């Protein structure tokens, strides 16, 4: 009937602007619909970011397992259990990572900003501590290579070759008395007698530095004659080294007072600490990646929340 649409413009005086929603209800409905849609979209985006943060914190919880496991493994080794240097810091650090990651996990899924902020700050501190520990272990185990013994398959170690930090752990008579008593209570030397009956078999054996360097036998340079791995006949002149005078065939004494025994202990520690340090380094890299992703997700969640509030105020 009407070939063309007719647009009608209605001008309201300023005094009636407050009554426009009452006069044209469809305008209010449209505004409310737009506002509701914006709120739902903002909540969905923020929930997605929180889910990402929660998943990241769950991964961080899993990454605490290698740290705790490395500490438990060191605690189960006879030499580390006697020295008690690295295992407890690792176990405590791993537990702290687990607790902080759990706090972030709870804060993400229950949307508790205070817990998320605590997670970001505390995890950064723990990452710095873990990185410091990785560097420290690498530095104190950088020295201490073995010296090949003549006509032997194993090497021997000298105490002065190791770092000052490790040497101080065993040079104090008070500290070494406790370590020596702990070592002598193990069966590491007695088991050599069961495994090697002949001299040549013992000389060709691949035994641990703690056994081969001088705790269970006299140093090679002393010239003792083999009877069995823990019983040796003294040469006529054994004054070449103080460790030669320290050797005693008494099974509770052997060479536990020798510097070569202390060097063998440090060589064992170095080997085991290096293995633990590799695990810590891999865990550290993974934790840093997880932390960076968590920071990005938290920043996106805050940005989306602010943008949503701004749009609501604008509309």
């Amino acid at each position: 009937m009407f070939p063309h649409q007719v647009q009608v413009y209605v001008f309201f005086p300023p005094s009636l602007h407050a009554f426009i929603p009452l006069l044209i209800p469809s305008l209010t409905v449209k505004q409310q619909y737009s506002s509701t849609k914006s709120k739902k979209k903002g909540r969905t985006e923020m929930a997605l970011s929180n889910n990402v943060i929660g998943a990241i914190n769950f991964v961080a919880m899993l990454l605490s397992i290698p740290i705790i496991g490395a500490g438990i493994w060191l605690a189960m080794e006879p030499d580390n259990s006697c020295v008690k240097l690295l295992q407890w810091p690792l176990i405590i650090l791993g537990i702290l990572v687990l607790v902080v990651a759990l706090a972030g996990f709870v804060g993400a899924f229950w949307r508790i900003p205070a817990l998320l902020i605590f997670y970001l700050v505390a995890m950064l501190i723990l990452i710095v501590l873990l990185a410091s520990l990785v560097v420290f272990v690498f530095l104190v185990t950088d020295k201490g290579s073995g010296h090949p013994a003549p006509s032997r398959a194993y090497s021997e170690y000298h105490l002065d070759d190791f770092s000052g930090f490790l040497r101080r752990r065993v040079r104090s008579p008070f500290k070494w008395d406790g370590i020596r008593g702990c070592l002598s209570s193990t069966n590491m030397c007695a088991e050599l007698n069961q495994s090697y009956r002949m001299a040549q078999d013992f000389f060709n054996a691949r035994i641990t530095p703690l056994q081969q360097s001088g705790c269970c036998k006299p140093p090679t340079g002393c010239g003792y004659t083999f009877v069995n791995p823990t019983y040796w006949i003294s040469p006529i002149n054994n004054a070449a080294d103080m460790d030669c005078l320290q050797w005693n065939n008494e099974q509770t004494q052997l060479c536990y007072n020798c510097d070569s025994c202390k060097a063998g202990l440090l060589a064992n520690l170095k080997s085991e600490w290096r293995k633990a340090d590799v695990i810590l380094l891999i865990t550290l890299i993974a934790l840093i990646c997880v932390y960076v992703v968590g920071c990005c997700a938290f920043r996106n969640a805050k940005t989306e929340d602010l943008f949503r509030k701004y749009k609501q105020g604008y509309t």
Side-chain angles (χ1 to χ4, degrees), residues 17-35:
H17 283 181
F19 299 95
I20 291 177
L22 298 177
L23 296 174
I24 313 176
S26 61
L27 179 61
T28 304
V29 172
K30 186 176 181 181
Q31 288 178 344
Q32 290 176 349
Y33 174 76
S34 176
S35 177

Side-chain angles (χ1 to χ4, degrees), residues 129-185:
L129 289 176
L130 181 59
S132 302
L133 186 61
V134 169
V135 174
F136 169 77
V137 171
F138 175 79
L139 291 178
V140 299
T141 58
D142 188 43
K143 299 178 180 179
S145 299
H147 300 270
S151 303
R152 305 290 189 270
Y154 48 79
S155 299
E156 294 184 336
Y157 297 85
H158 299 159
L159 187 59
D160 292 335
D161 292 340
F162 293 89
S163 65
F165 173 83
L166 290 179
R167 290 201 306 270
R168 286 191 293 271
R169 301 306 99 187
V170 297
R171 269 188 168 164
S172 168
F174 174 76
K175 292 179 180 179
W176 182 250
D177 285 344
I179 297 173
R180 180 189 60 194
C182 179
L183 292 176
S184 62
S185 66

Side-chain angles (χ1 to χ4, degrees), residues 42-97:
R43 287 174 182 172
T44 302
E45 292 174 348
M46 190 170 181
L48 180 61
S49 295
N50 284 332
N51 289 339
V52 171
I53 297 174
I56 286 299
N57 287 325
F58 180 74
V59 175
M61 291 168 59
L62 296 179
L63 289 175
S64 68
I65 296 176
I67 303 175
I68 299 174
I72 294 175
W73 171 66
L74 289 178
M76 294 177 64
E77 294 296 315
D79 49 346
N80 273 282
S81 64
C82 291
V83 179
K84 299 177 182 178
L85 276 178
L86 188 62
Q87 57 266 44
W88 282 113
L90 284 182
I91 293 174
I92 293 172
L93 186 59
I95 293 174
L96 290 176
V97 171

Side-chain angles (χ1 to χ4, degrees), residues 187-196 211:
N187 62 347
M188 65 172 184
C189 293
E191 65 185 15
L192 293 177
N193 293 331
Q194 301 172 2
S195 302
Y196 307 102
Q211 295 171 317

Side-chain angles (χ1 to χ4, degrees), residues 219-254:
T220 303
C222 295
Y224 278 73
T225 303
F226 177 92
V227 176
N228 66 45
T230 60
Y231 193 93
W232 299 71
I233 298 175
S234 174
I236 297 175
N237 181 15
N238 60 358
D241 192 324
M242 280 300 298
D243 282 356
C244 302
L245 300 176
Q246 297 284 356
W247 169 261
N248 193 310
N249 283 317
E250 177 63 38
Q251 297 299 296
T252 58
Q253 297 185 30
L254 300 179

